[in-house]
Amino acid sequence: MSLLFLLLGCNGGTAWETTVPAIIGIANLDDDNQDGRTDWDGDISDDENDLTVFEIPSDMLDALGKKDSLRIRQNNNGFRVYVNGTLKSNSEDDVFDIDDPEADIEVEFQSLNTTGSITVVWLNKNGDVKAEQEVDVISAPMLLNHHLQAMEQVYAMEGNGFVNNQEFIQGFETALGEDFTAFDVRTYEWDVWLQDEIEFANLASNGTRLDIVINSIRDRGLDKLPENELSGADTWINTWGSGMATSQDSFGNLEVAPPVEGYPYGRIYYGDWYYGNSIETITEDLTDEFTKQELQLPFKLDVTFLCVGHVDEYMTFVPDASSPKGFKFMLADVNAGYDFLDTLDASMSLPKYASDHGFATVGSIVNDGALRRLNEDIQLDYLDPTWEAMQAELGLTEEDLIRVPMLFEEAVGCQGYTATLMPSTLNMVVATNADGTGADLIMPDPYFRSTVGDQSQDPFIEHVNGLLPEGNTPHWIDDWADYHMMLGEVHCGSNTLRTPMNIEATPNTEESP
Amino acid sequence: MMYWILSTAFAQTHDWSTLPVCLDNISVCEEIYAAEPLPTRNPALFRFNDPTLAASQWTPIHVERLLTEDTPEHVQLALISLLSQQPLHSFGVVLLPLYTHSSDELRAAMVDLIPKLNSVDQATAIEQLRTDSDWLVREQTLRMISRHLGSSYSSVLQDGLDDAAPEVRLQAVKGLGWNDITTPIVRLEPLLKDSDSTVRLNALRTMERLHPGSVLKLDIVDSLLTDSNPKVRREILRIQKTH
């Protein structure tokens, strides 16, 4: 039976006059007592906080006669049952009697993707079976976070030497205060691409929570950061896959759309990069895990036009409390880009673009015919198909879309593959507030102005601010030298821990965060 | 004068310390010369992230380092990125030998500097590279022409349509459309049957750009509508819808 069916459509048997909800808990993969062993492999400690309480429904208990008793039979491996803190069953076919029906019954799960059942047996005073009730036992699937979940902490790498990103860091600190943490980039070989190294995920159900740090097989300077900076009692760090990584194995290429009809936990999407007859994509070990998980069933997009090749380079989701879906989808749009440029004076100077991109004025961009054709091709071959895929896979409509002005340019040294010409607004951090109705949006300063030091004179900033749904607060921070010119932006250089979605037996789509 | 001194320096010792800009700035030059690039977000691509290195006064040092035989390849590629932001009109003579360098990758990367050379050196480099034995070098040359030099080298693009490598044919046909270079339909039509689907797609698009609607009058429309590549099918449908 599929996990999706168990969670969304079925709560177990119907005997004993009532329906018993499935027991849903989290895999005990962390190390609550910090003894160096995964908790499943050690004894239960006082610090343990990952067991799931199973309460036998009161109407079942009320039905018992004075001398009747209960028995529990474990039907599968992969979990354990404790009564009042004592291990009672450990494997398939283990059976035990419950002397006190009011006792605390707890279930411990070995791993992700465990599904099985126990049978609660009603015995009369002679030990004969009066009734049985099978209860499904499910370990909560690993869920990746989407942008409508509340931000708890944002992380980035800081340096003031070889990498000198003090304005970038100050921008985050101003926007987020104590909700922002910076790590010393010198410890990690000046690798600033924190988005690419890790993906935050979690298990959460019935008050239990395990934060998961998926450590990419990318294995550049930040490889040891999870163990050094993010490990803790309620955190599990794990890597799926091995071997030679492609750029697509970086987690800027792994994102999650917010909940939509049929997918109350959102959907995972990532990019494929085609080279001749071969496809570079995320390691199969990880995509298999997502497919097994089912709830956030992944879909793929073609990102072959990009030099880096990550989905976070040209699209994102932001909260919109006024929208029936609760969000807006923001997508780079070349036509919107030229429409925006056409509103500006062609002679307007662009000092940052003159020195680093070879465009001294707005007119020099607008009148570059080959650049326009390059961008038209990208719109036809990649951006329009992306929007069509989002409509097909997520049920989005034109009302859900914000077309963000953007142009792309061939990246020098990348053999014709492109990056955004302006620092990509889409490549932003969405630091969502507690109720998911709005966010602090930390975006790269586009420097699309003549006076480099004066953001208030930037027509691009003014234009994009006007596109944002109410409830979102824009923060435009400098990322030009250490990120934009290095083919990444704000989102690439950071990562966001979010409050998990709670797995329920019958989640309500409308109330899901 | 500076050019002469520079050429002399390159010819003799490849020693940056003799460059005029370094005579009074020896320690600064040392730092500039020794700067290390960082990997970009694309792990295969390195760049210098220090904006001060892009100042034009340091261009001779970067050129010198690029020319030095023991400069590692990833540094050479980062130097090319850096130099692509600078006018290199006076550096053609010293850079041109790199267009015949034994490394295919270096020759291909050097293509990005051609738009920064003066027109005479551009022509020399392109003449050299258009018949390069390596398809990647020819592909990058035509890509660069398509994007930056356009109609100035239309004959190179026209000739590229017949290249043995599909990657080169792709850049050629794309460049003709990007730059509105007049090309007869009969010259483009064979590419609609190209064995490479990206060539077919771009031939279709270029034909539509140069001769709007004309492709719909060709017998090949039906086979394009059932092309094995969805992007080709999508493009012919788009053209049909436009007309």
Side-chain angles (χ1 to χ4, degrees), chain A residues 282-293:
Chain A
I282 292 180
T283 178
E284 200 172 34
D285 288 6
L286 195 53
T287 53
D288 283 352
E289 185 65 39
F290 299 148
T291 304
K292 238 186 296 179
Q293 178 246 58

Side-chain angles (χ1 to χ4, degrees), chain B residues 29 57 65 107 188 200:
Chain B
C29 279
Q57 69 186 109
R65 194 177 182 191
R107 294 199 308 282
L188 296 169
R200 295 198 298 277

Side-chain angles (χ1 to χ4, degrees), chain A residues 420-437:
Chain A
T420 58
L421 175 60
M422 303 90 155
S424 176
T425 312
L426 293 313
N427 200 323
M428 67 167 81
V429 169
V430 181
T432 310
N433 61 25
D435 63 8
T437 58

